[in-house]
């Protein structure tokens, strides 16, 4: 912990890559592992773009259920700690795979939403975007003014990563000197490659996770083993203490 706090305070360019684990203590389940969303729903059936095209109502039923939890969730101490690090100039940006908007709700400003977000609905026909708050999910599916069924703003399997997010995430990964990899199993591409890109460009990889991930044995330089909501506030406190000295 002390070594990592020092890494953050000696002027190195640090960024974070976050996954579902950071939002667990906000009440949002992970995707994999026991009780994970994909242990109850087959992602290829509910969250693949082709399954959405062939049966949008089925995808919407799952998303509407999820959205209730997402919209009710509040940032936890892990989100707040990352916002604090950014506020002190110790963290340049967050690349998040999460669609819950909790980094922004915690006060983080530089957030790259790699897998889109739940705040918006998009039209695959005319590309219009609508705030999700315009719709009550009691009557599904929601429709665009052009007549097409709207899709949740989250990236589905088989869809490309939004171009601006992809380009920015790669540039930040190439340029960073420290990458905090928090609460992700690192199994879904291309997000899982970002720590490799960072490492190949000389960055130190710090992982924060209660369990080893696909990166731990081969890519990770420091593993802070534990829950993000416990470890990150400690790390932020240690780093800001060094700043004060
Ligand atoms: P996963 O569900 O694959 O992994 C969650 C990770 O969080 C695991 O490594 C857990 O050990 C860890 N974890 C659990 N509780 C934690 C806690 N309190 N603090 C820190 N870590 C904790 O979720 P992601 O890696 O985010 O994509 O999944 C990546 C992508 O797969 C998602 O963005 C989503 C999904 O399919 C799309 O839907 C496109």
């Amino acid at each position: 912990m002390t070594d990592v706090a020092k890494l953050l305070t000696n002027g190195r360019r640090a960024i974070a890559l976050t996954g579902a684990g950071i939002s667990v203590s906000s009440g949002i389940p992970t995707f994999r592992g026991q009780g994970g969303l994909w242990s109850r729903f087959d992602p290829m059936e509910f969250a693949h773009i082709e399954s959405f095209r062939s049966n949008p109502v089925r995808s919407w039923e799952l998303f509407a259920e999820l959205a209730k939890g997402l919209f009710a969730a509040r940032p936890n101490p892990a989100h707040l700690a990352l916002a604090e690090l950014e506020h002190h100039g110790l963290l340049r940006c967050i690349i998040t795979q999460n669609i819950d908007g909790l980094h922004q709700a915690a006060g983080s400003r530089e957030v790259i939403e790699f897998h889109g977000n739940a705040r918006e609905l998009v039209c695959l026909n005319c590309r219009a975007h609508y705030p999700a708050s315009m719709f009550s999910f009691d009557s599904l599916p929601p429709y665009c003014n052009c007549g097409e069924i709207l899709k949740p703003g989250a990236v589905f399997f088989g869809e490309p990563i939004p171009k601006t997010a992809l380009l920015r995430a790669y540039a930040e990964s190439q340029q960073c000197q420290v990458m905090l990899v928090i609460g992700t199993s690192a199994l879904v591409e291309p997000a899982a490659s970002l720590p490799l890109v960072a490492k190949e460009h000389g960055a130190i990889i710090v992982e924060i996770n209660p369990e080893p991930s696909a990166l731990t044995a081969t890519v990770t330089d420091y593993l802070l083993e534990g829950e993000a909501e416990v470890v990150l506030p400690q790390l932020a406190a240690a780093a800001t203490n060094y700043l004060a000295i």
Side-chain angles (χ1 to χ4, degrees):
M1 174 73 75
T2 311
D3 289 349
V4 176
K6 283 184 185 159
L7 282 178
L8 295 178
T9 48
N10 66 5
R12 284 195 174 88
R13 189 174 169 121
I15 69 172
L17 170 68
T18 64
I22 198 168
S23 296
V24 164
S25 77
S26 295
I28 301 173
T30 59
F31 294 94
R32 294 168 187 81
Q34 223 182 2
L37 198 63
W38 298 152
S39 68
R40 294 184 288 129
F41 300 94
D42 176 358
M44 293 305 123
E45 207 178 304
F46 288 89
H48 195 284
I49 190 63
E50 292 312 324
S51 55
F52 178 79
R53 286 186 202 278
S54 61
N55 192 346
V57 174
R58 183 176 51 190
S59 298
W60 263 111
E61 278 165 1
L62 172 64
F63 187 77
E65 187 61 37
L66 272 181
K68 282 184 207 150
L70 293 179
F71 297 149
R74 293 288 166 265
N76 69 57
H79 300 106
L80 295 169
L82 289 184
E84 190 188 347
L85 286 173
E86 182 186 341
H87 176 75
H88 287 288
L90 303 180
L91 188 73
R92 195 181 150 80
C93 71
I94 299 169
I95 303 165
T96 188
Q97 297 166 85
N98 300 343
I99 59 166
D100 55 33
L102 291 180
H103 288 303
Q104 295 92 325
S108 289
R109 287 166 182 267
E110 296 297 329
V111 182
I112 302 171
E113 293 183 312
F114 205 72
H115 288 164
N117 65 70
R119 291 183 305 279
E120 289 183 325
L121 309 187
V122 296
C123 177
L124 295 178
N125 178 42
C126 71
R127 295 282 151 200
H129 286 229
Y130 297 82
S133 55
M134 274 178 65
F135 300 86
S136 112
F137 293 153
D138 294 335
S139 120
L140 292 171
Y143 283 88
C144 180
N145 286 339
C146 79
E148 184 76 350
I149 292 175
L150 291 167
K151 188 186 83 69
V155 172
F156 277 39
F157 287 100
E159 277 195 302
I161 303 299
K163 196 172 167 192
T164 311
L166 185 71
L167 293 176
R168 213 180 140 205
Y170 270 88
E172 291 291 352
S173 299
Q174 286 168 354
Q175 290 162 18
C176 73
Q177 293 164 305
V178 178
M179 182 186 270
L180 306 178
V181 180
I182 305 160
T184 178
S185 58
L187 290 171
V188 175
E189 294 291 357
S193 290
L194 295 173
L196 299 176
V197 170
K199 179 114 182 164
E200 279 166 12
H201 285 78
I204 297 165
I205 308 299
V206 178
E207 207 179 346
I208 297 162
N209 201 311
E211 290 173 23
S213 76
L215 303 171
T216 311
T218 48
V219 179
T220 301
D221 295 295
Y222 294 88
L223 172 65
L224 301 181
E225 202 168 352
E227 286 147 344
E229 63 275 19
V230 176
V231 174
L232 279 173
Q234 290 170 356
L235 181 61
T240 46
N241 264 345
Y242 281 120
L243 273 188
I245 292 170

